[in-house]
Amino acid sequence: MSGIVVVFDFDKTIVDVDSDNWVVDDLGFTDLFNQLLPTMPWNSLMDRMMMELHSNGKTIEDIEEVLHRIPLHPRVIPAIQAAHALGCDLRIVSDANVFFIETILKHLGIREYFSEINTNPGYVNEEGRLRIQPCHDFNKASHGCSLCPPNMCKGLIIDRIQDSISQEGNKRMIYLGDGSGDYCPSLRLKERNFMMPRKNFPVWDLICKDPLLVKAEIHGWSDGEELEQVLLHLINKISMEENVHEQLIASDCKLQTLSVSA
């Protein structure tokens, strides 16, 4: 296992659209969605939209069929497969929901490549209706981050992952994202880690306002082809650095042994 953790956003990073909008638009509920959008948080709105779909006779199978057709760049799956084959620990941090994400990943045959999915809970209730809940229950208490939506602070999740991997040794992290919700985690990344923002998307624009606020190395990408190139380049770069580091330690130990012998 390599010492690299790769964290992916999902919407407009792994898939090329917003999965929430994809389902709502495809099933013909865009107007209602836009009408309700100013009245409640996005996460609450998606739960409401799932109720509307169910009330209008749309089934879980209808939703799954739409998700199976979601567009993605042809080089994204090979990039994920290559990173996994090189021993990277792949994870997802997304403001979508676990039902959408797992339905898509299983259909693409890549669910088993990810060790962890951090997202909003989603489940089918006894009536056959999809319920979507917040990752963070903002009705009980705020997560305290002004940069993030009330239902999820990705930065807190990245803090937890960084704390856990720091106990496992000298692991490095690569984070890929596109949206404004990926800005907070970019600020939380420690030195020697890597931020891969999607060029000319909200997180890129926010980082470009003051790149020095980001301690991690910044490497942009524009589409799935460039995502693959940059990601595999960084994995190779980290691996080479770690090999040099290990060789230096080994040679240092050898020199110490020789001096003690002398």
Side-chain angles (χ1 to χ4, degrees), residues 18-39:
D18 182 288
S19 57
D20 290 342
N21 289 135
W22 177 255
V23 169
V24 169
D25 294 347
D26 194 277
L27 293 175
F29 285 77
T30 309
D31 290 344
L32 180 60
F33 180 90
N34 290 336
Q35 181 185 330
L36 293 172
L37 183 55
T39 68

Side-chain angles (χ1 to χ4, degrees), residues 34-52:
N34 290 336
Q35 181 185 330
L36 293 172
L37 183 55
T39 68
M40 64 185 82
W42 184 287
N43 179 258
S44 306
L45 175 55
M46 281 307 297
D47 185 54
R48 168 69 184 274
M49 294 310 300
M50 294 305 105
M51 183 191 78
E52 296 290 344

Side-chain angles (χ1 to χ4, degrees), residues 219-252:
H219 296 263
W221 58 281
S222 57
D223 58 20
E225 184 174 358
E226 196 170 11
L227 180 155
E228 180 183 38
Q229 292 169 353
V230 175
L231 178 60
L232 297 184
H233 166 73
L234 292 179
I235 293 169
N236 185 53
K237 170 187 166 85
I238 295 168
S239 300
M240 288 177 66
E241 287 176 3
E242 295 306 314
N243 287 339
V244 169
H245 181 66
E246 288 171 9
Q247 287 170 8
L248 287 171
I249 291 173
S251 60
D252 189 44

Side-chain angles (χ1 to χ4, degrees), residues 110-215:
I110 55 174
R111 170 62 186 92
E112 67 274 14
Y113 294 146
F114 296 92
S115 66
E116 185 177 274
I117 297 176
N118 299 275
T119 188
N120 298 296
Y123 67 94
V124 181
N125 69 9
E126 63 279 0
E127 298 170 0
R129 173 199 156 191
L130 180 59
R131 296 300 311 268
I132 296 172
Q133 297 179 322
C135 177
H136 176 85
D137 189 352
F138 53 87
N139 292 313
K140 289 185 178 177
S142 167
H143 53 54
C145 176
S146 60
L147 293 174
C148 293
N151 62 292
M152 171 180 274
C153 173
K154 291 186 177 183
L156 290 174
I157 297 169
I158 290 303
D159 283 347
R160 175 182 61 76
I161 294 173
Q162 286 189 131
D163 289 344
S164 69
I165 66 176
S166 68
Q167 296 167 11
E168 299 171 22
N170 194 32
K171 288 197 170 183
R172 314 274 287 278
M173 184 187 290
I174 304 170
Y175 185 98
L176 300 89
D178 72 282
S180 56
D182 298 306
Y183 183 57
C184 177
S186 76
L187 299 176
R188 310 273 187 128
L189 290 171
K190 297 174 181 175
E191 290 179 13
R192 301 183 71 247
N193 291 329
F194 299 86
M195 177 64 196
M196 285 181 57
R198 190 168 187 179
K199 294 174 187 174
N200 301 316
F201 277 70
V203 71
W204 174 266
D205 296 337
L206 288 165
I207 288 172
C208 286
K209 287 179 182 177
D210 191 352
L212 294 177
L213 292 175
V214 179
K215 299 184 191 76

Side-chain angles (χ1 to χ4, degrees), residues 5-22:
V5 178
V6 184
V7 180
F8 293 85
D9 172 42
F10 189 73
D11 291 336
K12 300 182 183 177
T13 300
I14 291 179
V15 295
D16 224 12
V17 295
D18 182 288
S19 57
D20 290 342
N21 289 135
W22 177 255

